[in-house]
Amino acid sequence: MNGIPNTPLHPYYPLGVAIPGYVAKTLTTQEILAIFTATCLGILIPTWLYIRHIRRDLPSSEVLTALWFVLCGFIHLGLEGYFAFNAHDIASHSTILGELWKEYSFSDSRYLTADSFVVCMETITAVFWGPLSFLCASCIVADHPLRHPLQSIISLGQLYGDVLYYATCAFDAAHLGIEYSRPEPAYFWGYYIFLNAFWIVIPLCLITRSTRETGRAFTALKELSPSKIAK
Amino acid sequence: MNGIPNTPLHPYYPLGVAIPGYVAKTLTTQEILAIFTATCLGILIPTWLYIRHIRRDLPSSEVLTALWFVLCGFIHLGLEGYFAFNAHDIASHSTILGELWKEYSFSDSRYLTADSFVVCMETITAVFWGPLSFLCASCIVADHPLRHPLQSIISLGQLYGDVLYYATCAFDAAHLGIEYSRPEPAYFWGYYIFLNAFWIVIPLCLITRSTRETGRAFTALKELSPSKIAK
C-alpha cells in the first residue's frame, strides 16, 4: 500500500490503512512532548528526594536503578495500561493519553489498528511489568533478598517484549513490504528507534548485573562451608 | 473467511487462507507422532543414563529438571530452529520436520503463513533459549552458581513467548473472528492447548523455584555477617 498516491483520511502509514473512528489530534508535538517530559520529571524528582531522605547510604547506581523502575512502573501502568485498556478505539480518544498515543503512532501505526501482537504485548507489560516495577524499586530501597530475581524477571520481560516489537515490525517490512512509520526521520529514529532502545540497553545491563550478583551470592554460599561458620 | 463453503486447496483454517507453495503431507498422524515420541525418548533415555552415571548423588528433581532442559534444547534448536530457518516456504517441505510442522499446523495455520509474531518468537526461541537450555542443563549437573539465573531467564523467555502465542491467537479469534485451528477437538485441545501448556506450567514452577532459591541465597549471605565467619 505504501507509496500509492491516494488521499488518506489520516496521516498514518501505510497510506490508506484502516483506522476506524479516527479523530485528528489537537495538541501539537511540542505540547505533547512537554507534557510527557514534565510528567516524567514530576515523578522522578520527588521520588529521588524521597529515596535520598529514607536511604542516605544507598549508592548512586542503586538510586538510579530504583528511579528507573519507578519510571517504568508509571509508564507501564499509566501509559501502556491506558493503551491496553482502550486499544480497540484509541484512535477516537482526545484525552491527553489518547493524543500522546496518536503522536507516537506516527512512528508505528499498529497502535491505532489494534495489532494483535502489540495489544497483547502491551497488556502483559501493563499488567505484570508495571506493578512488579514498583515492587522492584521498593526491594532495591529496602535491600530485599528478592531484588535481583525480580529485577531479572522484569528486565527480561521488557527486553523480550521490545525485541519482538522491533522484530515483528522489521519482518513485516522485509517480508510484506509494509512500513508502519511515517517517512520523516524524526518519527522513525526519534520515536520508534530511540525511545524504545532504552528498554533494550537498560534491561540488558540490569540482567547482566543481576546474573553476576546472583552468581556471586551462590559462589559465596558454596565457599562458606559449615566449618568456616562460627557456631 | 471461516465458514464460507468454498473448496480450499489445503485442509487448514481459516478456510481459504493463502498458503503459497503448499504440498500435502504424506506421513500419517500416527507415523509423525511415533517419530516425535521415539526421538524424545531417544534423547531422554541416554541423557538420563549419562547424568546418573556422572552424578549419582544428584536428587531426582534435579535430574528431571536437567532432562527437561535437554529436551527443550533439542526441541528449540532442532524443531523450532528448522521452522524459523524455513518459515517462508515450510508448507512446501516434505522432510520429516516439514511434515511434522504441517501436522502441528492443523492446530495453528500461522506456522504455514509466515505470521510475523510466530516467526519472530520461534526465531528467538531457537537462537537464544535453545543453546541456553543445554547450558542450563550442564549447570544443573555441575551445580554451577549461574544455574538459577540461567534457569530463570530461559523459563521466563519460554513462558512469555508461550503466553503471547496463546494471547495473540485468542485476540485474533475474539477481535477479528479468525480461527487458526481446524475444528476437530484433537487438534485444538491436543496439539494447541496441551502441547504448549507444558511451556506454561513447567517454566512457572522453575521460575518460582529459582526465585525462592535465589532469595534464600541472598538472605543467607546477609545473615552471615563477617563476625559470624571464622577467620
Side-chain angles (χ1 to χ4, degrees), chain A residues 1-2 63 84 111 129 153 172 174 212:
Chain A
M1 281 183 284
N2 196 351
V63 176
Y111 279 85
W129 316 145
I153 285 169
D172 284 349
R212 199 182 293 145

Side-chain angles (χ1 to χ4, degrees), chain A residues 116 143 153 172 222 228 230, chain B residues 116 143 156 172 222 228 230:
Chain A
S116 62
D143 201 13
I153 285 169
D172 284 349
K222 219 173 170 181
K228 290 183 184 168
Chain B
S116 62
D143 202 13
L156 187 78
D172 284 349
K222 218 174 170 181
K228 290 184 185 167

Side-chain angles (χ1 to χ4, degrees), chain B residues 27-43:
Chain B
L27 293 175
T28 65
T29 299
Q30 287 72 18
E31 286 169 333
I32 289 169
L33 293 181
I35 292 168
F36 179 71
T37 310
T39 309
C40 290
L41 291 175
I43 292 161

